Structure formats: C-alpha cells, structure tokens
C-alpha cells in the first residue's frame, strides 16, 4: 500500500511540475483510437497572431518523424489557418511516407503551444484536406490518434 501511495504522490507532483515549467509537457500513455498504447500530448493550435485557438488532445509523440500532423476533423473550421504558400504563391502540401502508408495533406501556418512554450507561424500539416493527392503518394492510412507530433532528428 505504501508503494501505491508513493506512486500516486509522484504522479500528482509530476503533474504540478509539468504545469509550472515552461519547457515541460505532460505525457499520457493511452490507446487513443486503435492499436496499442502510445505516448500522447495536448497541443494548442492558434491562427497566426493567437487571436483564435483550440487545444487538440490525443496527439501521438513520434520519434521517427518531424513536424505536427493533424487528422481531419480535429481542427475547428472557424480557426482560420492560412495555407502555406511557396515563393510563386502556390499552396504547399506534403506526402510523408511511413511504414506501409503515407500522410498527405496541405501545409497551413499556425502558432503552436506545448506546455508554456510557443512556436509562431510554423507549418502544420492537415492530413487529408481538399488538396489533390498525387499518384506518387499512396492512400489508405488508418489514423491511430488525432495527430502526430514528430520529434525525430530528420528534417
């Protein structure tokens, strides 16, 4: 029983520290949609400038990719994220290949908050948006969470 109480106190203290530290994010081990346990976080996504924001829960942490990718329906339509555009004004999109499938979608500009830290006006991929998928990007991905936060080394 003593170990269980110590364990519970540790969780309460860690949760308090995660809220108090600007560079600490609380992680949850869960099965968000399907499959097996994953580490997930909550991410606050804002239109550039921070006027309109939404917190999106159950974002899987992935050490094998980079960037933030969000599944359809997780971003409220009223958030008003602008499309990222290249130097010629064309909408930008990305196809990121995973084992056995790929994530296709447009890149949008957003301010992203994790814990007490914020990255301003960065590209965020909205998987499966209305931009036309090229034939070179395979379809058929089955989401296992509301999105993926890639913290890997590859860029």
């Amino acid at each position: 029983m003593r170990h269980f109480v110590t364990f519970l106190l540790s969780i309460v203290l860690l949760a308090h520290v995660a809220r108090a530290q600007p560079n600490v994010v609380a992680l949850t081990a869960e099965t968000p949609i399907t499959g097996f346990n994953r580490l997930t976080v909550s991410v606050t996504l804002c239109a550039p400038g921070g006027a309109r924001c939404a917190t999106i829960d159950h974002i899987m942490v992935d050490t094998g990719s980079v960037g933030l990718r969000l599944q359809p329906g997780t971003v409220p339509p009223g958030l008003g994220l602008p499309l990222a555009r290249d130097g010629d004004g064309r909408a930008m999109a990305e196809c990121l290949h995973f084992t056995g499938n790929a994530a296709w979608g447009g890149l949008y500009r957003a301010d992203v908050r994790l814990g007490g830290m914020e990255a301003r006006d960065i590209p965020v991929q909205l998987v499966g948006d209305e931009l036309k998928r090229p034939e070179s990007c395979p379809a058929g991905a089955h989401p296992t969470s509301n999105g993926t936060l890639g913290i890997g080394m590859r860029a």
Side-chain angles (χ1 to χ4, degrees), residues 134-153:
E135 289 182 24
S136 61
C137 187
H142 301 287
T144 58
S145 60
N146 285 340
T148 302
L149 176 63
I151 60 170
M153 299 296 244

Side-chain angles (χ1 to χ4, degrees), residues 33 42-48 52-59 68-83 105-112 122-130 145-148:
I33 296 176
S42 293
V43 174
T44 300
L45 192 68
C46 302
R52 295 173 308 277
C53 299
T55 299
I56 302 167
D57 298 321
H58 314 293
I59 305 296
L68 179 60
R69 288 166 179 71
L70 299 170
Q71 295 300 327
T74 60
V75 178
L79 204 55
L81 301 180
L83 265 168
L107 297 177
Y108 292 79
R109 308 300 300 183
D111 294 347
V112 177
I122 64 169
V124 172
Q125 184 185 34
L126 300 186
V127 176
D129 69 356
E130 71 278 355
S145 60
N146 285 340
T148 302

Side-chain angles (χ1 to χ4, degrees), residues 59-107:
I59 305 296
M60 178 181 67
V61 177
D62 179 26
T63 59
S65 67
V66 295
L68 179 60
R69 288 166 179 71
L70 299 170
Q71 295 300 327
T74 60
V75 178
L79 204 55
L81 301 180
L83 265 168
R85 299 197 176 271
D86 67 11
D88 293 326
R90 294 178 298 220
M92 295 176 65
E94 181 178 39
C95 179
L96 181 70
H97 291 265
F98 292 98
T99 304
N101 63 45
W104 165 258
L107 297 177

Side-chain angles (χ1 to χ4, degrees), residues 8-9 24 27 43 52 72 94 97 103 114 118 151-152:
L8 286 177
L9 286 174
V24 176
L27 294 171
V43 174
R52 295 173 308 277
E94 181 178 39
H97 291 265
L114 287 138
E118 181 177 39
I151 60 170

Side-chain angles (χ1 to χ4, degrees), residues 4-62:
F4 180 71
V5 171
T6 302
F7 176 72
L8 286 177
L9 286 174
S10 297
I11 290 174
V12 169
L13 287 173
L14 285 173
H16 177 70
V17 168
R19 283 192 301 273
Q21 300 297 319
N23 62 345
V24 176
V25 176
L27 294 171
T28 302
E30 64 177 336
T31 305
I33 296 176
T34 64
F36 49 87
N37 281 345
R38 292 165 173 79
L39 290 179
T40 64
V41 296
S42 293
V43 174
T44 300
L45 192 68
C46 302
R52 295 173 308 277
C53 299
T55 299
I56 302 167
D57 298 321
H58 314 293
I59 305 296
M60 178 181 67
V61 177
D62 179 26

